[in-house]
Amino acid sequence: MALTVTACQPAASPTPTETADLVIVNGRVFASDEAGTTAEAVAVRGNTILRLGTTAEISALRGPETRVVDARGGSVVPGFNDAHVHFVSGGLALGDVDLAGLTTLRQVQAAIAAFATAHQGEGWLKGRGWLYSPFPGGSPTKAQLDEIVPDRPAIMDCYDGHSVWVNSKALALAGITKDTRNPPNGEIVKDPRTGEPTGHLKEAATALMDKVLPQPTETDMRAAIKAAATYANQFGVTSIQNAGGTIEEMALYEAAKRDGDLTVRTYLAFSASAATTEADADRMVETWNRLGDDATVRSGIVKMYADGVIESRTAAMLAPYENSQSSGTPNLTAADLERVVALLDKRGLQVQIHAIGDRAIRMSLDALERASSVNPAPARGRRHRLEHIEAVADEDIARFGKLGVIASQQPMHVALGDMNQAKPSGPWPDNVGPERYARAWAWRRIMAGGGRIAFGSDWPVAPLEAGQGIWLATTRVTLPGGTEQPMQMADAIRGYTSWPAYASFEDHRKGTLEPGMLADIAVLASDVFARPPRTATDVVVQTTVFDGRVVYERKTGR
Ligand SMILES: [Zn+2]
């Protein structure tokens, strides 16, 4: 891809006010602006970018105290901004069994067995990240878990967060038997012959475990935020956008910042549902105002769920699933969605709606369109967003551009759904059928229609490594009958930097490497423009700068 090289400021001999605190030299700097500015080196003073230039020009800004980072030919980009994470649950899960990416039952069982051996005791054994593919019929059983963990309760979350897998001990503790009825919007999977629960709980049935599972304390959550921030820095992530939470949780981020533990900038969403009232929204605005326009702990956004996920056929589709009579049911009525969106929009709050199925996406766009017709535009304008947008109807693609609705998407979900191969298999493609899968995850077509994109991981649903998303976005296979093309490298990087900054109303202060912008920078181990990643692990972060300080350096040499 050709990058425009724009002229940098001429080198002048450094005056005291121009001496840099940190310089990054010998790099392939991509500023991530829309012009595609490139350079060799970056100078930082305090917590902002001083200027870009050649290595010689920037080296001239060195003083005796200046820290020098040699990029050794690697790409230098703005720190990654993950537009959709669940930061506390991700941080908590760092201490659990990690089943992410395991593709056979043998691997899954071996990982759990090894963890159980290393963490002996009688308490709960917890894990997360299992895929559907290792299990016959896509449904795990208690017997498969009892085999390795017979003596203590065990619970494993599915990667999509919409199913859990439990053993017999856990079912017994929760009092779930063949006589237990399904809760609304949930399913206790039962053996068709015996009627016994199989150990697979879907959607709202997962909440049946909550009353017996030890809940994390405030101290646990506070520690999880710190652990998650440190973990994020390893992947060059310097900003995260948390997709839903409570007002109380926001105080934990403030405490983390006060204690110097918050090495990422956070944009924190409140959670709303059909039950949200005007008074609830007023309380959100109060907290939003109290946090203010802080560049590290900020809010002003509200998360809603219009539907579930395709893997468990709980996403709301316009037509029935390929392998079922059902087309899924939205989480709330169109009238409730319109009402709640309108009362949030009226207060100037940004709204983000989880919408995966084509029906949920249409309902959500309708609700956002309606809000903008009944309410006057908020002072800061509207930057409402839909989250995921996996199976969008062709007729709705142009509405993103037309309505100014941001498409917040997660490239790694394509790989998790087994979609990044010529002959996809797995619950995602099986459930929607070939026609709908061929036109899924339509980010390039949304862009072509004038829509804006923000990329993220949905961590811990998918890995927090932005590099994996960049790999997937730029190597994506065009499916048979599909039109969606891989992203250009420059756009994939913008999708993790400048575009998410727009999506949190912060494009004026971060997301590009321009003088005056916050100095959040990722130095990669190689030049991803010259050598595009071929595998999920090819994008390696060498150094991460947050707020002008080096917060991560990779230990091993290259
Ligand atoms: Zn999510």
Side-chain angles (χ1 to χ4, degrees), residues 43-344:
V44 171
R45 188 179 167 78
N47 70 344
T48 56
I49 307 281
L50 185 60
R51 66 163 68 171
L52 268 56
T54 63
T55 290
E57 287 164 349
I58 296 304
S59 295
L61 303 174
R62 283 168 61 172
E65 307 282 295
T66 304
R67 173 146 191 192
V68 181
V69 173
D70 187 346
R72 294 194 249 170
S75 296
V76 179
V77 297
F80 297 124
N81 182 340
D82 192 316
H84 187 127
V85 300
H86 302 276
F87 212 53
V88 170
S89 52
L92 289 169
L94 289 173
D96 297 339
V97 193
D98 182 9
L99 303 175
L102 304 183
T103 52
T104 68
L105 182 56
R106 190 184 292 253
Q107 287 173 349
V108 169
Q109 289 180 318
I112 298 169
F115 189 91
T117 309
H119 300 80
Q120 307 254 351
E122 293 181 350
W124 282 82
L125 193 69
K126 297 197 308 186
R128 68 157 300 119
W130 55 269
L131 299 168
Y132 293 92
S133 50
F135 305 99
S139 191
T141 68
K142 59 186 175 187
Q144 293 156 343
L145 198 46
D146 289 344
E147 244 176 74
I148 8 168
V149 193
D151 48 350
R152 54 197 277 208
I155 181 166
M156 304 288 144
D157 288 350
C158 177
Y159 79 88
D160 64 19
H162 291 256
S163 275
V164 299
W165 170 31
V166 293
N167 66 358
S168 295
K169 205 96 186 172
L171 284 171
L173 275 175
I176 300 172
T177 68
K178 62 197 287 191
D179 301 322
T180 312
R181 297 256 199 100
N182 286 335
N185 300 318
E187 183 188 354
I188 302 164
V189 179
K190 289 181 178 156
D191 186 306
R193 286 175 300 110
T194 64
E196 290 291 337
T198 65
H200 182 187
L201 308 175
K202 295 182 178 179
E203 298 296 332
T206 62
L208 297 172
M209 302 308 300
D210 290 350
K211 60 181 191 294
V212 290
L213 259 180
Q215 295 301 306
T217 63
E218 253 183 37
T219 313
D220 295 337
M221 289 165 71
R222 177 65 188 72
I225 290 171
K226 180 181 181 179
T230 306
Y231 183 72
N233 292 155
Q234 290 177 41
F235 308 120
V237 173
T238 55
S239 288
I240 60 100
Q241 305 188 26
N242 197 52
T246 60
I247 288 175
E248 293 71 36
E249 241 174 80
M250 293 186 188
L252 298 176
Y253 288 88
E254 289 183 279
K257 185 189 173 186
R258 243 185 343 260
D259 297 346
D261 291 343
L262 206 51
T263 52
V264 288
R265 302 185 194 284
T266 63
Y267 186 51
L268 309 169
F270 302 101
S271 296
S273 68
T276 298
T277 63
E278 303 267 351
D280 292 333
D282 284 340
R283 272 192 296 277
M284 293 175 193
V285 171
E286 244 166 61
T287 305
W288 174 23
N289 289 338
R290 184 173 60 73
L291 294 174
D293 190 32
D294 186 275
T296 307
V297 182
R298 216 171 125 261
S299 186
I301 179 166
V302 185
K303 168 87 178 286
M304 300 188 69
Y305 282 88
D307 65 348
V309 297
I310 281 169
E311 285 85 342
S312 57
R313 291 189 289 259
T314 51
M317 306 296 290
L318 293 166
Y321 284 100
E322 187 76 0
N323 43 16
S324 157
Q325 304 288 326
S326 153
S327 51
T329 316
N331 279 6
L332 67 187
T333 64
D336 279 340
L337 185 60
E338 276 187 11
R339 180 181 56 78
V340 178
V341 166
L343 70 87
L344 299 168

Side-chain angles (χ1 to χ4, degrees), residues 372-448:
S372 64
S373 72
V374 297
N375 294 331
R380 62 173 180 169
R382 287 190 174 94
R383 296 186 188 180
H384 297 314
R385 4 191 310 190
L386 297 195
E387 304 296 315
H388 311 308
I389 318 158
E390 295 184 358
V392 60
D394 284 345
E395 308 90 282
D396 289 322
I397 285 179
R399 296 179 73 194
F400 286 86
K402 199 172 137 252
L403 300 173
V405 173
I406 297 162
S408 169
Q409 296 193 275
Q410 298 76 33
M412 277 305 289
H413 284 190
V414 178
L416 289 170
D418 287 340
M419 299 277 291
N420 201 34
Q421 44 184 314
K423 266 208 171 109
S425 65
W428 207 107
D430 293 350
N431 288 351
V432 298
E435 191 269 324
R436 285 179 289 196
Y437 87 64
R439 54 182 170 78
W441 282 287
W443 46 66
R444 294 240 1 216
R445 283 179 294 149
I446 290 172
M447 283 168 64

